[in-house]
Each structure stands twice: as C-alpha cells, then as structure tokens.
Amino acid sequence: MAVQYKGLKFPPGFNSAESLCFAENEFQVRDDDIFNITYPKSGTVWMIEILSLILNGGNPTWNQNVPNSSRAPWITSQLGLEAAQNLPSPRLLTCHLPIQIFPKAFFSSKAKVIYTLRDPRDVVVSYYHFSKMCPPFEDPRSFDHFLKSFLNGNVYFGSWFDHISGWMKQKGKSNIFFISYEQLKQDLHGCVERLCHFLGRELDGTAISSVVENASFEAMQKNRMCNSTMLPKELMDQEKGTFLRKGICGDWKTHFTVAQSEYFDRVYQEKMQGLKGIYAWEQTILESLKF
C-alpha cells in the first residue's frame, strides 16, 4: 500500500506519513546543509557521487568505502532522518520532495540546494525499468500503462510537471543551483567547476579531474557503495534489471512509439506553458509539434 501524504503517494518501506511530516515541519536545517534534490530517475545517485567527491576534495576514499545512503541520507525516511541528525556539518542530504512539502526551515536558512532535472521522456523510461526491479514500487504492468500514469501524475512522488515547475519558480535565488542531466553528460568537467564555485569549494585541476573520473558511469557501475548491489532483494531485485542501467541521454527513442511520442508532446505542451525555452530537450518536442 502506498504511503499517502498531502495528496501525493510515496513508496512504502522507504517513507511513512510520520517521517514525511517530520521532514516538512520539524527537521532542523543548518546553514551549511547541502540538499541534493531531484524528481526520481533524474540523476540523483550520480549527483551524490559528484557532491561527495567535491566535499572530499576529489579524494574517492569516502565514495568507495561508505554507502551513498550514509554519505547523503534520505530525509524522508525514519532511518535517513536519524542518520542526518547525527551527521557532522556540512551535511549532504537527499530527497525527491516537491517544494510544497520541502523542509520549512530551509526557507529561512542559508542552506543550499542543487536541483538536477532531466528530459522527462528519459525519466519515464528509467522510472519504468526501476519500478520493475524495485519491489516496494508498484508493478508498472506495461510501458504504455506506465507512460499514461506518469503523464497523469499518478506515480510515486507525484507529477513530474508539478515537481519541476514548483522548483523552477525558485530560479534566480542565490542558494539554489539548477543543472540538467544532459549538461552533466555533455560537459562533466565544466559542471563540476560550476558546482565547486557554487559550494565555495574551489578545487585544483587534479582534484577536479579526480571528481570527473570517479563520478563516471563506469566507475559508479563498479562501486558497490552506490550501485545498489548490497541492497536486499526485497528492496532491489537486480535479477530483474540493473540499477545503473545505461546512463545515457535519448534512450526514450528506443521505447516510445510514434503515437506515444505525439501524445507525450501534446501533454508537455499543455502542462509546461509557463516554463518554456529553458531545457535542452525542448527543441525536439517543439519541432515535433510543428508537423
């Protein structure tokens, strides 16, 4: 049974209404906290690796010896909240929360948010495969069924459109940094430099190169501290798929039919009217709507 909180549903086993309520209303945010925020399947684990490496000066020892859930606890679970409260500053914290239920204390703090977004067509493909191998998530049945649920917002963590538009309204605030999965794929070195500057942690060239090397998809696939192979089968059944599956842009082209692509583009056009012209992937959607 899904966990319900403020009109949204969350996966059981990871979250509870009590932990979500605590995260929103009682979690004490520190001024030097760093929040890694995403909608699911948008580069969450990748960003944990990047930020962990930056905070450790490019040294991969932390990444290679401490599970990512301990380095960057999930503040929507009871275990994650307990871990977060016991961490020394500066804390790296993770969640998929939409802005309307994000910790209230953040908005009167100097804490920083890194928000990673991704082409929603790749998000839905990744989310579909993830749901098939993650027992606490609902069975996606077919890709077509899951695509419709995704576009209707009837998935865990709610509507992608609402999540993105809620956070993007914060664009321009000095303590919130927006970056896309596509930018990371195109120029990871440049993105790491920008992230270092945002976090006030200027690293030399050798350290930045180490961040880039150890946050590569290949390095992450081999790293048991982030590839989920240590999780029990009840939480992640890797016989049904691979957690770090492809790590590419444009995989949606191998999944969408022409009809599904046209349907998606129409819904996107309708839902994203107020937030156009800021995403790399939009060009292909806008071009398809001309015909």
Side-chain angles (χ1 to χ4, degrees), residues 58-210:
N59 186 330
T61 307
W62 196 33
N63 291 56
Q64 293 169 355
N65 291 281
V66 179
N68 58 3
S69 58
S70 298
R71 286 182 269 125
W74 291 80
I75 62 164
T76 52
S77 72
Q78 193 58 47
L79 284 175
L81 282 166
E82 288 170 10
Q85 290 177 59
N86 292 321
L87 278 183
S89 294
R91 298 182 298 187
L92 181 55
L93 306 167
T94 304
C95 74
H96 293 316
L97 289 176
I99 198 162
Q100 70 269 24
I101 54 174
F102 194 65
K104 289 178 178 173
F106 167 77
F107 299 98
S108 57
S109 76
K110 295 177 183 173
K112 293 182 176 179
V113 157
I114 291 100
Y115 187 93
T116 310
L117 54 159
R118 185 183 189 184
D119 185 331
R121 296 166 296 187
D122 281 335
V123 170
V124 73
V125 167
S126 183
Y127 208 161
Y128 166 71
H129 286 287
F130 178 79
S131 297
K132 289 201 293 185
M133 63 181 293
C134 186
F137 279 62
E138 295 170 349
D139 181 357
R141 291 159 59 179
S142 67
F143 181 69
D144 193 64
H145 179 269
F146 188 77
L147 176 61
K148 286 171 181 167
S149 297
F150 179 86
L151 291 173
N152 292 331
N154 188 27
V155 289
Y156 289 137
F157 302 100
S159 161
W160 179 90
F161 301 99
D162 292 347
H163 204 287
I164 292 290
S165 58
W167 277 103
M168 289 300 290
K169 285 171 185 169
Q170 304 296 310
K171 200 169 173 67
K173 294 196 172 175
S174 61
N175 63 333
I176 302 182
F177 184 94
F178 290 91
I179 195 162
S180 73
Y181 191 97
E182 292 72 24
Q183 287 171 316
L184 292 166
K185 289 297 291 184
Q186 189 173 13
D187 180 16
L188 183 55
H189 192 281
C191 289
V192 169
E193 288 181 327
R194 289 172 54 212
L195 282 162
C196 287
H197 183 70
F198 173 71
L199 295 171
R201 291 177 174 265
E202 304 297 346
L203 303 183
D204 62 25
T206 303
I208 287 176
S209 294
S210 178

